[in-house]
Amino acid sequence: MNAHLILRRWLGVVIALGMAAIVSGCAHPISLAGNTAALIGAGKSRLNHAVGMVISEEDRKREVITPGGGGDKVSYQPYRDLETGLYIALSESFAKVVRVSDAKDPKVVTESLRYVVIPQISTTSYSPSIVTWPPTMFTIELVCKVMDAEGRPVTEVRAAGEGRAEFDEFKSDFSLAAKRASDDALAKLVKAFGEDTGKLR
C-alpha cells in the first residue's frame, strides 16, 4: 500500500469522525446565574406580606439540555441557577420571603405566610454557528403560581427574558447569552409583581 493511499484513507477516517461528532453533538455545561446584585432596589414598593418560595430538591437537581451551535447542545440546572435571583426578586416585591419545601410545609403556618409562590421555568437556546458551541440567543420564561395559605390559587405572575451574545463577547464567558436572559427575566418579574398588586393585597 503506497503512502498516497494511506493518506487518503486516514483523511477519510478523520472526516467521518468529524461528521459523526457534528451529527451526534455533545452537551456543554453553562450557568444561568446572572447579576443578581442588580435586582436589589429594583422593586418600587413591597407588599407587607410574608410569602413562601417553593423550589423542590427534585427541581433543584433537574438538568435541562437545549441546542447550542455547531450541532452541539448546552446543559444547565435552571432552578439551581436561578434560585437566588428568584429569592431576591420576591424580596423586592414582598416584606418577607421564606424558602419552603412545598405548599404544605409547616413553615406556612409557623411563619404566618400569606402566600406560597411556586416558580416554573422554561428555556430555549439557539445559535446559527457551525464552529462554536455557545448559544448566541437564549430565552427564559418564568411563571410564578401564587396560592394562599390554604392552597387556593390566587394568580399567576409571568415574565419572559431574552439574552443575546456574539462570538467577540462570549469568547470569555460561554454562558453570557443565558446570563443576560436571566437578568432580563428576573428584572421583568419584579416589575410584573409590582403590576399585579391588586390581586395580592
Side-chain angles (χ1 to χ4, degrees):
M1 187 179 294
N2 61 42
H4 181 67
L5 183 58
I6 292 173
L7 180 60
R8 285 182 60 186
R9 287 188 177 182
W10 182 80
L11 286 173
V13 170
V14 171
I15 292 169
L17 289 173
M19 291 300 294
I22 291 172
V23 171
S24 62
C26 59
H28 302 271
I30 62 171
S31 172
L32 275 57
N35 182 19
T36 54
L39 293 170
I40 298 173
K44 293 183 179 180
S45 62
R46 289 183 176 90
L47 290 171
N48 192 28
H49 302 316
V51 303
M53 182 183 78
V54 177
I55 295 182
S56 68
E57 275 303 311
E58 181 181 0
D59 280 339
R60 203 173 275 116
K61 295 174 182 176
R62 183 177 301 171
E63 182 183 50
V64 174
I65 296 176
T66 52
D72 286 2
K73 297 178 176 63
V74 290
S75 66
Y76 45 91
Q77 294 170 281
Y79 289 89
R80 181 203 65 184
D81 292 347
L82 293 178
E83 182 172 5
T84 298
L86 286 165
Y87 182 88
I88 295 173
L90 290 177
S91 297
E92 289 296 313
S93 306
F94 297 96
K96 180 181 179 181
V97 182
V98 178
R99 288 182 172 91
V100 294
S101 59
D102 55 43
K104 296 181 180 179
D105 191 305
K107 286 189 282 189
V108 174
V109 175
T110 60
E111 298 281 350
S112 301
L113 304 183
R114 178 71 172 269
Y115 300 115
V116 174
V117 181
I118 305 176
Q120 295 180 339
I121 305 171
S122 301
T123 57
T124 66
S125 62
Y126 168 76
S127 176
S129 173
I130 60 172
V131 260
T132 58
W133 62 261
T136 56
M137 189 275 287
F138 204 97
T139 68
I140 297 176
E141 182 180 9
L142 303 174
V143 178
C144 288
K145 297 191 173 194
V146 183
M147 301 185 299
D148 65 19
E150 284 73 43
R152 295 184 293 256
V154 176
T155 188
E156 285 188 3
V157 180
R158 297 172 175 267
E162 181 179 292
R164 295 177 181 271
E166 298 304 327
F167 177 75
D168 286 343
E169 297 176 290
F170 69 58
K171 62 185 178 182
S172 61
D173 185 356
F174 298 142
S175 304
L176 188 56
K179 290 178 178 180
R180 286 176 171 173
S182 299
D183 293 343
D184 188 33
L186 290 168
K188 289 177 178 175
L189 185 65
V190 174
K191 183 178 179 182
F193 267 106
E195 293 171 348
D196 205 20
T197 56
K199 296 178 181 177
L200 297 171
R201 289 197 180 279

